[in-house]
């Protein structure tokens, strides 16, 4: 007989409007524990970068050196200020992607791992289907708004669920501060995820924001042997929401053997 641990017996939660969504899943099994509008397709902003990083790491592309193209250097939105023509360490770009949410890093990584921007986006979508993210469509690797670039709170939680099984991703997403040298300049990048930096139970996560998506957030929590993933979409009080949802789950769930 095969035994495995799962989290059971939860009550309580929070309400969501038609344009908001939230979900809590068991990070060991992927099982849905609680949520609201968890299967409604919404923009997820930079939570996209979870799948970007995971796709790069799973693609087999070497974690060596890549040259920054003009398109990557001029990418719209949040940036780690890459300059055209410089060579950059791919692993360092992954930290810039996850900790500082650099859209230029996303573009450079896409070109490196996919051969081209569109080639990588196609790879992201192929991987989404492979892993059962049936309500997710990507049009870019950064999460910039596009009417077709949508996912759900549940699919986004599954992105984190699968990505955290990759040891390199887990190390990157749980890093508080990363020191990086690029083109003879030194940088110290602090993780934008406030709970990862300040809470003992928040192990890893990713922040996101666009005007259309609002604030988006994913957090991987661990406490007393319990592991959960919380996702909120379009929640202006997301830090407190994640604290409350995680505390509620840890208080009301017990580990059982099935």
């Amino acid at each position: 007989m095969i035994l495995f641990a799962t989290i059971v017996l939860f009550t309580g939660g929070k309400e969501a409007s038609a344009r908001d969504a939230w979900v809590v899943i068991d990070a060991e099994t992927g099982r849905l524990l609680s949520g609201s509008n968890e299967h409604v397709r919404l923009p997820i902003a930079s939570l996209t970068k979870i799948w970007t990083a995971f796709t790069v790491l799973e693609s087999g592309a070497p974690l060596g050196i890549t040259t920054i193209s003009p398109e990557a250097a001029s990418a719209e939105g949040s940036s780690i200020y890459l300059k055209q023509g410089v060579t950059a360490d791919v692993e360092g770009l992954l930290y810039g992607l996850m900790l500082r949410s650099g859209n230029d890093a996303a573009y450079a990584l896409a070109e490196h791992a996919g051969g081209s921007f569109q080639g990588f986006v196609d790879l992201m979508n192929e991987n989404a289907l492979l892993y059962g993210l049936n309500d997710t469509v990507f049009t870019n690797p950064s999460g910039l708004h596009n009417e077709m670039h949508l996912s759900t709170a549940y699919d986004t939680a599954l992105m984190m669920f699968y990505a955290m099984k990759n040891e390199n991703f887990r190390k990157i997403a749980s890093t508080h501060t990363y020191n990086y040298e690029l083109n003879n300049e030194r940088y110290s990048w602090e993780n934008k995820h406030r709970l990862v930096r300040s809470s003992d139970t928040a192990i890893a996560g990713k922040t996101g924001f666009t005007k259309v998506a609002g604030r988006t957030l994913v957090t991987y929590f661990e406490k007393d042997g319990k592991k959960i993933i919380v996702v909120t979409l379009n929640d202006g009080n997301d830090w407190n929401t994640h604290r409350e949802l995680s505390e509620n789950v840890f208080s009301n769930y017990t580990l059982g053997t099935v």
Side-chain angles (χ1 to χ4, degrees):
M1 180 171 61
I2 299 175
L3 301 178
F4 63 91
T6 186
I7 300 176
V8 295
L9 304 177
F10 175 67
T11 58
K14 68 183 286 293
E15 297 299 323
S17 74
R19 297 186 67 251
D20 319 329
W22 64 272
V23 74
V24 184
I25 70 168
D26 185 331
E28 292 276 25
T29 65
R31 175 174 174 254
L32 174 65
L33 301 178
S34 189
S36 182
N37 292 337
E38 62 268 24
H39 298 299
V40 174
R41 299 180 75 233
L42 295 167
I44 63 171
S46 285
L47 303 192
T48 297
K49 295 183 173 89
I50 296 167
W51 207 243
T52 299
F54 181 61
T55 300
V56 170
L57 290 168
E58 294 285 310
S59 70
L63 295 182
I65 300 297
T66 191
T67 301
I68 306 303
S69 71
E71 293 79 12
S74 60
E76 178 185 352
S78 56
S79 176
I80 58 171
Y81 308 106
L82 297 173
K83 297 178 182 178
Q84 174 185 341
V86 304
T87 56
D89 176 70
V90 172
E91 184 178 46
L93 293 179
L94 285 165
Y95 279 92
L97 177 80
M98 289 299 297
L99 270 62
R100 302 306 299 168
S101 207
N103 289 356
D104 48 354
Y107 206 118
L109 288 165
E111 292 180 323
H112 173 75
S116 68
F117 179 90
Q118 189 57 51
F120 185 78
V121 172
D122 291 343
L123 184 58
M124 291 177 71
N125 285 310
E126 290 170 10
N127 279 349
L129 291 175
L130 178 65
Y131 283 93
L133 308 182
N134 298 320
D135 292 317
T136 298
V137 173
F138 300 106
T139 63
N140 62 74
S142 64
L144 283 174
H145 179 65
N146 181 293
E147 290 185 359
M148 294 178 62
H149 190 112
L150 299 170
S151 185
T152 67
Y154 180 66
D155 272 14
T156 304
L158 287 182
M159 292 181 208
M160 194 67 170
F161 170 74
Y162 290 118
M164 286 293 284
K165 295 181 182 300
N166 182 292
E167 291 184 6
N168 287 329
F169 178 92
R170 185 184 182 95
K171 178 182 177 183
I172 294 167
S174 60
T175 295
H176 293 191
T177 304
Y178 183 73
N179 297 316
Y180 183 56
E181 186 171 331
L182 176 63
N183 202 32
N184 296 321
E185 294 185 29
R186 293 185 177 182
Y187 301 87
S188 182
W189 293 330
E190 187 177 64
N191 198 321
K192 284 187 175 184
H193 198 300
R194 185 187 306 169
L195 297 183
V196 172
R197 300 196 317 267
S198 63
S199 170
D200 291 337
T201 61
I203 305 303
K206 184 72 187 75
T207 62
F209 174 79
T210 66
K211 289 183 179 179
V212 176
R215 292 175 61 89
T216 62
L217 189 67
V218 59
T219 312
Y220 183 104
F221 291 96
E222 292 183 1
K223 184 179 180 181
D224 297 333
K226 304 170 189 176
K227 302 175 183 180
I228 62 170
I229 295 169
V230 179
V231 173
T232 50
L233 304 180
N234 193 26
D235 184 347
N237 193 34
D238 49 10
W239 301 119
N240 288 328
T241 297
H242 280 234
R243 286 192 191 96
E244 291 168 5
L245 286 172
S246 64
E247 289 169 4
N248 198 342
V249 169
F250 290 139
S251 297
N252 290 284
Y253 275 92
T254 59
L255 286 172
T257 301
V258 178

